[in-house]
Amino acid sequence: MNSTALRAEKLKNIGTVPVSYGAVQRLRSTQNTSLVFKDGEHEKFYYEILGYIKHHDCYHRALVYLLGISGDTRDNFRRIYDAESGCVRTECLREGWQTSGCGRIIRMAFNLYCNGTPSVYNYEEQLKECQCYTVEDIFCCEYAVYFWKAVKIRYPEYILKGTRGLEERMLKIRMQGTRGDLEWFKKLLERHEKIKVMQVSEAFANKGTKKFFRMYVEVEKIKR
């Protein structure tokens, strides 16, 4: 087994040929209501990278989504993943730009993409490296909510099956306005006696303006 780059199981021959703008827009329209991004740069990276890889399956979407969370992983994307061969570059975990947060992001991405713990083979202390893939070690950080979203991207058939009843009752709302407007309307929703606010995203800046933002809210009707 190659210790510096491991192929994702079942996925080979990924290239860097740009796909059509329309294909990426269709992907955006089908996912934008369910994805939650850390910030505008995360969202921009996700759709731009998907525009330069061949496959838009759950493996690649989860990988790209995770590696877009941090500025460090975005800047070092090619050090982490070889788009031409479809291989992850496990040696990146030993490079000087790494932080504890980056390590968690990358290991989560490797785990979902490769169906395993590929960097274990790069270390003499394999047990110690394997422990870095535990749920406690990876999820115990500020990125946990995005890691859960990546799991939903990677295993949509199981997530949908388990939450089908909940999804049927849930309404997803996209709000846009100033920060003050968004906070005001969010409080109205939270105080409404007939609905329960299940999840609220961060306020994302709209491109080209510092005044207007957008926010995503999931609400559920209260049964009496």
Side-chain angles (χ1 to χ4, degrees), residues 18-36:
V19 299
S20 70
Y21 175 78
V24 176
Q25 288 300 102
R26 286 193 295 274
L27 184 67
R28 181 190 291 267
S29 66
T30 59
Q31 295 191 62
N32 207 32
T33 57
S34 60
L35 285 182
V36 174

Side-chain angles (χ1 to χ4, degrees), residues 79-139:
R79 291 179 175 273
I80 303 169
Y81 177 71
D82 183 346
E84 292 186 2
S85 67
C87 300
V88 297
R89 302 180 186 272
T90 56
E91 67 271 21
C92 72
L93 288 166
R94 294 185 171 185
E95 295 178 351
W97 55 271
Q98 285 288 341
T99 65
S100 59
C102 288
R104 288 184 171 95
I105 291 171
I106 292 169
R107 289 184 177 92
M108 183 72 182
F110 285 177
N111 187 271
L112 293 182
Y113 185 69
C114 300
N115 291 331
T117 55
S119 60
V120 166
Y121 302 100
N122 276 23
Y123 291 84
E124 292 183 6
E125 298 182 11
Q126 294 188 354
L127 179 59
K128 184 177 180 180
E129 174 61 13
C130 193
Q131 289 174 338
C132 292
Y133 284 87
T134 63
V135 173
E136 179 180 5
D137 196 89
I138 288 183
F139 275 79

Side-chain angles (χ1 to χ4, degrees), residues 180-211:
D181 291 337
L182 294 176
E183 286 299 319
W184 166 76
F185 194 71
K186 184 183 74 169
K187 290 179 180 178
L188 284 182
L189 292 175
E190 291 172 341
R191 291 197 297 263
H192 200 290
E193 62 181 12
K194 293 185 178 181
I195 61 174
K196 179 180 179 181
V197 176
M198 305 298 293
Q199 184 172 322
V200 181
S201 75
E202 299 178 27
F204 302 117
N206 283 351
K207 187 176 181 180
T209 176
K210 295 182 179 180
K211 181 178 180 181

Side-chain angles (χ1 to χ4, degrees), residues 67-79:
L67 296 183
I69 293 173
S70 164
D72 289 329
T73 51
R74 291 194 295 267
D75 292 342
N76 292 282
F77 179 75
R78 292 188 178 183
R79 291 179 175 273

Side-chain angles (χ1 to χ4, degrees), residues 28 32-35 43 171-177 182 185 189 201 204-207 212-219:
R28 181 190 291 267
N32 207 32
T33 57
S34 60
L35 285 182
E43 182 178 12
L171 176 66
K172 298 179 181 179
I173 303 171
R174 182 183 188 272
M175 306 185 299
Q176 182 169 295
L182 294 176
F185 194 71
L189 292 175
S201 75
F204 302 117
N206 283 351
K207 187 176 181 180
F212 296 106
F213 297 79
R214 65 191 183 281
M215 184 182 288
Y216 303 93
V217 183
E218 294 182 355
V219 301

Side-chain angles (χ1 to χ4, degrees), residues 148-167:
W148 169 237
K149 289 294 181 181
V151 172
K152 294 173 72 174
I153 294 172
R154 174 63 182 82
Y155 299 102
E157 66 275 25
Y158 300 107
I159 300 297
L160 290 176
K161 183 184 297 183
T163 61
R164 191 176 305 278
L166 178 61
E167 291 291 335

Side-chain angles (χ1 to χ4, degrees), residues 6-15 54-55 57 59-60 81-87 113:
L6 299 170
R7 289 188 182 277
E9 186 179 6
K10 302 179 182 178
L11 295 172
K12 297 180 180 179
N13 303 321
I14 180 173
K54 290 180 180 179
H55 303 285
D57 51 63
Y59 292 85
H60 290 88
Y81 177 71
D82 183 346
E84 292 186 2
S85 67
C87 300
Y113 185 69

